[in-house]
């Protein structure tokens, strides 16, 4: 039973979402990963960690941004591609965010991520992995229905 729990636990991810409104409409914070293409911030929940806290931690680790406490749960999606269960949290930050910036993340021995704003109504191209295309579609559907 413990083995099942560990396997199941690794399939759960959190996705901290930062949105803004611009002249191009609603935009989401995204980044270029130097080895894995265009992505949204996401990560694994640590043992005994609350999902909200994991979203705040992952946002900080991958972008350097400090989210306000109690991010809003948007929903979850079981991805068709790999059956991972992604939990989305709308996070708020109090600082002004630039159009683009670089952040040195400690993942995989240290990587530089280039952050930018991606228009949610724009179709994702081949630079996005299929999992993130599915996540963007989920977010578009959720945000247009709420």
């Amino acid at each position: 039973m413990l083995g099942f729990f560990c396997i199941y636990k690794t399939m759960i991810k959190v996705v901290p979402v930062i949105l803004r409104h611009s002249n191009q409409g609603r935009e989401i914070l995204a980044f270029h990963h130097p080895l894995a293409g265009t992505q949204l911030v996401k990560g694994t929940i640590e043992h005994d960690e609350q999902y909200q806290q994991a979203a705040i931690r992952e946002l900080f680790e991958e972008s350097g941004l400090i989210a306000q406490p109690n991010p809003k749960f948007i929903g979850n999606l079981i991805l068709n591609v790999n059956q991972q269960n992604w939990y989305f949290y709308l996070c708020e930050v109090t600082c002004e965010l630039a159009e683009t910036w670089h952040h040195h993340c400690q993942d995989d021995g240290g990587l530089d991520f280039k952050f930018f704003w991606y228009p949610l109504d724009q179709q994702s191209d081949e630079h996005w992995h299929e999992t993130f295309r599915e996540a963007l579609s989920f977010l578009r559907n959720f945000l247009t229905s709420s």
Side-chain angles (χ1 to χ4, degrees):
M1 186 67 167
L2 182 59
F4 173 76
F5 174 75
C6 292
I7 291 169
Y8 179 73
K9 190 71 169 169
T10 61
M11 294 174 20
I12 298 174
K13 304 285 183 178
V14 292
V15 182
V17 174
I18 302 282
L19 298 174
R20 76 172 189 179
H21 293 281
S22 76
N23 294 339
Q24 296 184 16
R26 194 176 284 184
E27 296 175 321
I28 189 167
L29 184 64
F31 69 95
H32 295 292
H33 187 291
L35 306 174
T38 306
Q39 301 185 9
L40 301 174
V41 174
K42 76 155 178 52
T44 303
I45 300 165
E46 295 178 358
H47 182 69
D48 289 336
E49 187 176 32
Q50 298 294 316
Y51 289 22
Q52 288 181 328
Q53 295 314 111
I56 291 170
R57 177 185 51 76
E58 284 294 338
L59 183 66
F60 179 74
E61 288 177 2
E62 293 193 4
S63 71
L65 297 175
I66 298 172
Q68 294 294 306
N70 304 313
K72 179 185 175 188
F73 177 64
I74 295 174
N76 71 297
L77 169 69
I78 298 176
L79 296 166
N80 291 324
V81 175
N82 58 16
Q83 298 302 301
Q84 287 182 352
N85 195 354
W86 286 14
Y87 286 76
F88 296 82
Y89 284 87
L90 184 60
C91 294
E92 300 288 334
V93 296
T94 57
C95 62
E96 282 292 318
L97 299 178
E99 287 299 310
T100 64
W101 73 89
H102 289 83
H103 178 72
H104 184 76
C105 180
Q106 296 303 316
D107 286 356
D108 299 322
L111 297 169
D112 290 323
F113 295 163
K114 181 181 178 188
F115 283 84
F116 65 99
W117 296 98
Y118 187 79
L120 268 174
D121 61 353
Q122 182 176 326
Q123 289 301 313
S124 48
D125 60 21
E126 70 278 355
H127 294 106
W128 289 88
H129 186 275
E130 189 174 350
T131 56
F132 293 102
R133 284 189 231 141
E134 198 173 339
L136 286 170
S137 178
F138 169 80
L139 287 168
R140 279 186 206 104
N141 290 338
F142 173 81
L143 294 169
T144 56
S145 68
S146 60

